[in-house]
Structures are given as structure tokens and as C-alpha cells.
Amino acid sequence: EAGVTQFPSHSVIEKGQTVTLRCDPISGHDNLYWYRRVMGKEIKFLLHFVKESKQDESGMPNNRFLAERTGGTYSTLKVQPAELEDSGVYFCASRGIRGQGATGANVLTFGAGSRLTVL
Amino acid sequence: QQQVKQSPQSLIVQKGGISIINCAYENTAFDYFPWYQQFPGKGPALLIAIRPDVSEKKEGRFTISFNKSAKQFSLHIMDSQPGDSATYFCAAGFNAGGTSYGKLTFGQGTILTVHP
């Protein structure tokens, strides 16, 4: 079973530019989460999708961040325009519902992350 | 406001020693406490988790100790090995019918180095 895939692994952009991060969850996982870790800090929740619907977006920093999950499969997180404080590692994670997949309902599986550097 | 405080930030242990990482939480509504292990270039991976109805859970060399009254929990790694060198994150969440398992509050992480 393939894991959670994130692209790109590293992106370097200048302040004011736009970046789009992509996440492909484990096939069949309805629940998809975005998290962010700013250098040396804790990993912080950004938002949660159930299929294509936003279940909880309470962690999104501001309206420069836009997350989508078209068709309930892969998800994108766009930052426009990027600011210096947006630098960090963006993690995507997925979780199945009870009975789905080999990983089970209670395991949050993370991708390797997309490192964003804003200069 | 950080709701889960983790210490130490870094830890160096000799091979065969015991590694201990501590976490304290504030929100008494948390009822799910996982530990994640992250190797360089990889994402965090679930290592072991506990619910507040038990005071200890052991899986191999890894043990979680949980103190509900003190709102603290810790990870003990017995017989630490160089391959255990990684960043460890504690976290806390809600078991609200299973729908909130994925919304976790993490600690800041502990970089563990086990010397041969």
C-alpha cells in the first residue's frame, strides 16, 4: 500500500510569489489533514478534509492560504502571496474510517512533508 | 498558546541506556495521547499511543507512562539503540467518536541522539 505522497519536497520562492503544495493521500482514505511545522516549533494543525468537504479549517493562519480537495482525492494547499513567516515544513496526513484500508481507523499517516522557504 | 509542552528539546544517551521524554498538557478534555517518531527526510510515524483510562502502555522497548492527575505523560525507551536516533513528538487529541483523531496538538519535539 502506497503511503502519503507530497510534492514538491522543497520549494524556494521569494516573498510575494505563489506556491502550491500537493498531497496524495493513501488510496481510499476519506480524511486528509494539513499540518505545518515552523522551524523548531511544534507541528500545528491547519485543516481537515472529509472527502472533498472542509471539516475543520480552524488552524489556517489567514486568507493567503487556500486548500482544496477536488473530487475527494488529492489536495492542494496554495499560499498567495507568500510571506517570510510562511517558511516551514508542510505536512499532509491521511486517515481511513473504521474498516477501510490496512492502516486502520486510528492511525494518522503522514507524508514526508514539503519544505517551503520564502526569501 | 501551546497546549502541550515537551521536554527536553534534545537528549543524548549512550547505547543501552534509558531515554525519557516528558510532556505536559493543559486541556483536561484530551483523551488520546500518541507519540510520533520522525527520521530525517521522513514524515512523523505513529510509535505508540495511550488513552487516559490506563496508566502505562508498553510495546517492546517503548513505554508510555500516563499521570492523569498531574496532566503529564512520558515516553521511556529502554535499551536505547543508535537506530532510535530521531525526533520524537508527543501529541494530544480527542476521541470524539473517532472523527477527531486526526486533529492533534503536538509538543515541540525532542531530538534524541543515541551514541554507539
Side-chain angles (χ1 to χ4, degrees):
Chain A
E1 183 180 60
V4 177
T5 305
Q6 293 188 244
F7 182 83
S9 57
H10 192 186
S11 181
V12 182
I13 61 173
E14 293 191 350
K15 176 182 172 181
Q17 291 186 321
T18 298
V19 64
T20 300
L21 310 178
R22 172 170 170 147
C23 169
D24 286 79
I26 291 172
S27 179
H29 278 192
D30 291 337
N31 294 276
L32 185 150
Y33 305 81
W34 283 98
Y35 281 83
R36 176 176 73 172
R37 189 184 191 205
V38 173
M39 179 67 72
K41 302 289 187 181
E42 67 272 26
I43 301 172
K44 279 192 172 181
F45 168 84
L46 296 179
L47 87 160
H48 170 204
F49 281 102
V50 177
K51 296 185 180 179
E52 68 276 10
S53 299
K54 292 177 184 175
Q55 180 79 7
D56 182 348
E57 51 183 329
S58 61
M60 294 288 265
N62 51 61
N63 59 10
R64 295 185 294 102
F65 289 75
L66 175 63
E68 295 180 323
R69 191 181 182 194
T70 306
T73 54
Y74 71 90
S75 175
T76 57
L77 179 64
K78 179 189 288 187
V79 185
Q80 179 182 29
E83 298 290 343
L84 298 178
E85 64 265 24
D86 300 334
S87 296
V89 181
Y90 291 77
F91 291 105
C92 175
S94 73
R95 178 176 67 84
I97 63 174
R98 199 171 297 277
Q100 273 190 342
T103 54
N106 298 342
V107 178
L108 200 61
T109 302
F110 281 84
S114 290
R115 180 176 296 278
L116 173 63
T117 302
V118 183
L119 302 176
Chain B
Q1 179 187 11
Q2 185 185 355
Q3 295 190 46
V4 178
K5 294 184 179 180
Q6 182 172 346
S7 62
Q9 287 187 321
S10 62
L11 179 63
I12 299 175
V13 175
Q14 291 297 122
K15 178 182 177 182
I18 302 173
S19 303
I20 301 174
I21 304 171
N22 301 298
C23 284
Y25 62 97
E26 299 172 3
N27 190 339
T28 55
F30 286 138
D31 59 1
Y32 174 64
F33 302 90
W35 284 88
Y36 280 80
Q37 179 188 56
Q38 183 185 19
F39 293 106
K42 304 290 186 181
L46 179 65
L47 183 63
I48 187 173
I50 197 170
R51 291 189 174 74
D53 52 344
V54 297
S55 59
E56 185 175 282
K57 183 173 182 180
K58 182 177 181 180
E59 289 185 2
R61 296 183 295 107
F62 301 90
T63 300
I64 299 179
S65 296
F66 184 80
N67 185 330
K68 188 174 181 178
S69 61
K71 294 187 289 184
Q72 295 176 346
F73 59 110
S74 59
L75 176 69
H76 295 236
I77 306 175
M78 310 299 289
D79 186 26
S80 298
Q81 299 296 313
D84 297 331
S85 297
T87 300
Y88 291 81
F89 294 94
C90 63
F94 304 98
N95 183 23
T99 59
S100 297
Y101 268 127
K103 185 178 181 180
L104 300 174
T105 299
F106 283 86
Q108 288 189 309
T110 296
I111 301 172
L112 172 65
T113 303
V114 182
H115 285 315

